[in-house]
Amino acid sequence: MALLVTCDTGGDRIPETLREPLAHTPFFSDVLHPPQPPAQPARRDRLEIPRLDREAGFAARAIAEAVDCDLIANPYRADLVDVGRSIHHRNLFRPEVRCLPTATRKAILAAVRTPYRDAIRRRLSDLLLRFPYVVHLSIRTFAARTKSGGWQRGDVGLLYDPSRGDELDWCLDLSDELYFAMPDLKVRRNHPGRGTNDSLTKAMRKHFSDVHYLGIEVVLNRAWVARPVRKRREVLRTIGNAIREVTPEATPQAA
């Protein structure tokens, strides 16, 4: 069995090829000088991607290091395009990007979404030529508060397709391992979203339908993962160690 960690949202760069197409748009100045968030932000979807999600990138690197496996991370800003969405999804682009010319939107897809998804597909194909199973962990974060303003009850969400027995069993094993390793860490399955919603892992399940592919989204509450304290590293290291425990036959794949 092999492991692969990916991160859709941890980047903060703009492709050089997009600087000219975006040069004379309001979006470009907003990307370079993002506005400060309001004191009372609007309540939005709990899994909505923030403009900058460096916490997801940090967490993905820490988990991949602890597990000793490959990491493929999108280096570009999540507000350019949601690389996890299917091409016709209504939230593929943010409203300010949807207002841009069609040619500019196509250039964003060509520079950001297509290379990222192609790299993951190639890497999974390569791993599946050498291993009977591959566990693909897509690392993201979610909002600390609900739409109504209350605090989220979970610390870690494991999103999977419950109709796929291997994914269900793997997530159950990981939940148990995390409980024994860190009982205070609240791990919830298919919360705050569902593993069957439109996502990169759902797309990869369709692509690798005839082979042993497990696609799991590991979503982390920004209430704790956004705090650069020693406890954060301890939790991420515990998550990585637990992943290793439930995937004992995984061979290190780090390049």
Side-chain angles (χ1 to χ4, degrees):
M1 182 178 286
L3 285 162
L4 175 67
V5 173
T6 67
C7 181
D8 296 353
T9 63
D12 58 2
R13 294 165 47 195
I14 305 172
E16 289 296 328
T17 56
L18 293 180
R19 291 186 175 272
E20 183 175 348
L22 295 175
H24 303 292
T25 67
F27 177 72
F28 183 72
S29 59
D30 182 56
V31 166
L32 291 183
H33 307 288
Q36 294 298 315
Q40 295 294 330
R43 303 304 176 195
R44 299 185 178 182
D45 178 38
R46 288 167 289 182
L47 281 173
E48 182 179 6
I49 299 172
R51 291 183 179 275
L52 287 179
D53 193 13
R54 293 189 179 95
E55 292 79 16
F58 174 84
R61 290 192 297 273
I63 291 173
E65 180 179 352
V67 175
D68 194 14
C69 73
D70 280 350
L71 168 65
I72 299 179
N74 173 24
Y76 302 117
R77 292 180 61 113
D79 52 359
L80 289 169
V81 59
D82 186 344
V83 296
R85 299 294 190 186
S86 57
I87 198 70
H88 298 297
H89 195 279
R90 66 179 183 275
N91 293 330
L92 177 67
F93 293 115
R94 289 178 179 266
E96 59 266 36
V97 183
R98 289 199 295 268
C99 296
L100 298 177
T102 300
T104 302
R105 297 198 305 272
K106 287 183 177 179
I108 292 173
L109 293 175
V112 180
R113 183 181 181 274
T114 300
Y116 175 71
R117 292 171 74 104
D118 285 351
I120 293 172
R121 190 179 295 111
R122 287 194 302 268
R123 186 60 181 141
L124 289 171
S125 296
D126 177 63
L127 291 172
L128 286 166
L129 288 175
R130 297 183 288 121
F131 298 92
Y133 293 90
V134 62
V135 179
H136 170 202
L137 304 177
S138 178
I139 311 299
R140 292 178 61 174
T141 66
F142 64 92
R145 290 184 180 271
T146 64
K147 290 182 179 180
S148 62
W151 291 101
Q152 294 280 13
R153 292 185 295 155
D155 299 316
V156 178
L158 302 176
L159 313 187
Y160 59 95
D161 184 344
S163 70
R164 296 169 68 94
D166 287 341
E167 290 186 6
L168 171 60
D169 290 343
W170 193 90
C171 288
L172 287 172
D173 288 345
L174 181 61
S175 296
D176 289 344
E177 189 66 34
L178 286 172
Y179 177 77
F180 291 121
M182 189 170 281
D184 292 338
L185 190 70
K186 295 181 177 62
V187 180
R188 304 189 68 181
R189 293 184 286 112
N190 276 333
H191 179 87
R194 296 180 179 180
T196 53
N197 290 343
D198 187 68
S199 65
L200 179 64
T201 52
K202 181 177 181 178
M204 294 300 149
R205 289 187 198 114
K206 294 179 179 179
H207 188 79
F208 296 105
S209 59
D210 296 328
V211 292
H212 295 288
Y213 166 81
L214 284 69
I216 313 295
E217 289 185 82
V218 180
V219 293
L220 309 173
N221 194 324
R222 287 196 287 274
W224 66 269
V225 80
R227 300 176 62 191
V229 295
R230 185 172 63 181
K231 186 68 175 178
R232 176 176 69 167
R233 287 189 175 275
E234 179 184 342
V235 174
L236 292 173
R237 185 165 53 248
T238 298
I239 293 173
N241 291 338
I243 291 169
R244 290 179 67 100
E245 287 296 321
V246 300
T247 322
E249 65 272 30
T251 302
Q253 292 297 305

